[in-house]
Amino acid sequence: MSQRIDAYLFGQILGTHSFLLKGGFIQPDEYSEIQEQYFLPGGETGTAATVLDSLGMRVRMDGTWIGTEVAPMLKEFYKNKKVDLSALTFTEDTGVMDYVVISGLVRSPMGRFQHLFSSGKRFWNIPKEEDIAGCKAAAVDPFFGDESLKVAEICKKLNIPYVTIDSPHDSPLHKMAAVNVVSKECTGQHYKGMSAEEIMKKMQAETEGLTIITQGGGEMLYARKGGEIKHMKPFPVEVKSTLGAGDTFKAGCVYGLIMGMMDDELVRFASACSGIAISRFPLPLNPPKWHEVELLLQSAEVQDKPDYSDVIGRSVSGVIDRPLNTAHPRHPDMIYPINYGYVEGLIAGDGAEQDIYLFDCEEPVKNYSGKVIAVYHRTNDVEDKWIVVPENSKYAENPYLLTDEEILKRIEFQEKYFAGRLYRATV
């Protein structure tokens, strides 16, 4: 495979028929009105691929064989996305599909999976090392037995971290994983009568990786071997559909591994992704975008903030070396939607002059003079990016007229490849 990828995903890729009901859930012998219905990519791997693409990652999907009823939809959906389908096997049968009826917090999935798995016939690929090599992180659904384990073993051989889901404490998948996301369904099936803390201790003892117990909509637990068990409440959002919430959380964990996030940041990022996912329907047509995740994280920021009082409000001047609508010098497919340059004579943490984004200037320029109104702090890099506006801009006097959302949307083209947080002056 010649195409570079960030993430390799192995598992269920389905055609999902979803039905959002108007009003309450189905009642016996009562009529239910369908408000919206769709036929879109689904399954743990299909959904995670869609979310990671939305976050700017290049993805290769592998796993379930794709039949004749699913293939046209799948190819059309991903044709303009950064999702590589070259590892998939396309067959002459109808393909694997499921049907999901949804009303808010309640959903009822239906399919023929018990029949398929009990048939003794394999309906998924055997993974190949060449498809996995070169990726930055992977995800492995545990449902395909020896083939799922083979992905984990290849990842271990190639030193590629992977995320898995619902793998019990004594399973090889759990023991080798960088992250194992364990759902309420899994704990109820394998650890009946045990508290979440008791389950976590069993999980911690068997792996050097991070274990996250999600507990549905309840408080999450996460920990590593020998470390304290930490707790986090999900982000409060208005629920429209829970379909794909867990798959989105998994995608957020994969993104966190690629970005080199620490555990606290990874769990918060994945939780924010999932929170956005459950607030909309259908998820494949409305996956979380980077700036939306960052905005939700901003709104719930509770940790101590860095002190940028000596930066925000400062007058600066310098050179715009990457003007509006020009291409990145090393990545020609990246076009700058904003003037980007540096402060002359001021050296940043990377040993080069301090970088800036110039807002409220909608034409290419060579030089600038302005005022710093915010700082985007990269947590997995050695430099910050300063948000600057011209001295005569209305935002120079009233910085908060330029909202966090507007700033994050404008710098998303580049900052989605890093982890960080936007900081403003205290008001």
Side-chain angles (χ1 to χ4, degrees), residues 142-143 164-168 171 180-187 190:
F143 313 115
T164 191
I165 57 173
D166 290 348
S167 294
S171 67
N180 183 12
V181 184
V182 183
S183 69
K184 189 175 182 179
E185 180 182 1
C186 177
T187 57
H190 293 282

Side-chain angles (χ1 to χ4, degrees), residues 39-41 61 66 69-83 85 90 285:
F39 181 47
L40 293 165
M61 286 201 300
I66 309 300
E69 288 193 21
V70 179
M73 175 272 294
L74 202 71
K75 292 176 180 178
E76 176 66 21
F77 184 84
Y78 288 116
K79 70 177 182 181
N80 294 319
K81 295 179 171 60
K82 298 179 292 295
V83 178
L85 308 182
F90 294 89
L285 298 183

Side-chain angles (χ1 to χ4, degrees), residues 45-101:
T45 289
T47 301
T50 302
V51 172
L52 282 165
D53 168 78
S54 180
L55 294 173
M57 298 294 100
R58 295 159 301 190
V59 181
R60 177 169 297 133
M61 286 201 300
D62 196 359
T64 316
W65 291 346
I66 309 300
T68 55
E69 288 193 21
V70 179
M73 175 272 294
L74 202 71
K75 292 176 180 178
E76 176 66 21
F77 184 84
Y78 288 116
K79 70 177 182 181
N80 294 319
K81 295 179 171 60
K82 298 179 292 295
V83 178
D84 177 15
L85 308 182
S86 62
L88 297 179
T89 296
F90 294 89
T91 65
E92 294 303 315
D93 60 13
T94 57
V96 184
M97 292 174 279
D98 64 354
Y99 304 80
V100 188
V101 181

Side-chain angles (χ1 to χ4, degrees), residues 228-335:
E228 65 172 310
I229 299 175
K230 297 185 178 182
H231 298 254
M232 181 190 162
K233 293 181 179 178
F235 290 91
V237 296
E238 184 176 346
V239 179
K240 189 167 186 181
S241 166
T242 59
L243 180 62
D247 310 330
T248 302
F249 191 98
K250 179 179 76 172
C253 291
V254 174
Y255 182 91
L257 289 180
I258 294 171
M259 293 294 107
M261 294 181 183
M262 301 298 287
D263 291 349
D264 293 343
E265 188 175 15
L266 181 147
V267 173
R268 282 175 55 78
F269 187 90
S271 181
C273 288
S274 185
I276 292 170
I278 65 176
S279 69
R280 51 189 56 169
F281 178 84
L283 176 59
L285 298 183
N286 302 279
K289 295 181 174 61
W290 177 86
H291 76 269
E292 294 173 325
V293 178
E294 288 294 309
L295 202 60
L296 184 55
L297 290 168
Q298 290 279 131
S299 69
E301 190 70 65
V302 293
Q303 64 188 32
D304 293 335
K305 297 182 178 181
D307 182 10
Y308 288 110
S309 58
D310 62 333
V311 174
I312 297 175
R314 179 189 298 189
S315 294
V316 293
S317 61
V319 174
I320 298 297
D321 57 345
R322 300 179 191 178
L324 175 71
N325 295 329
T326 60
H328 190 286
R330 295 185 303 278
H331 308 287
D333 57 334
M334 179 186 287
I335 306 298

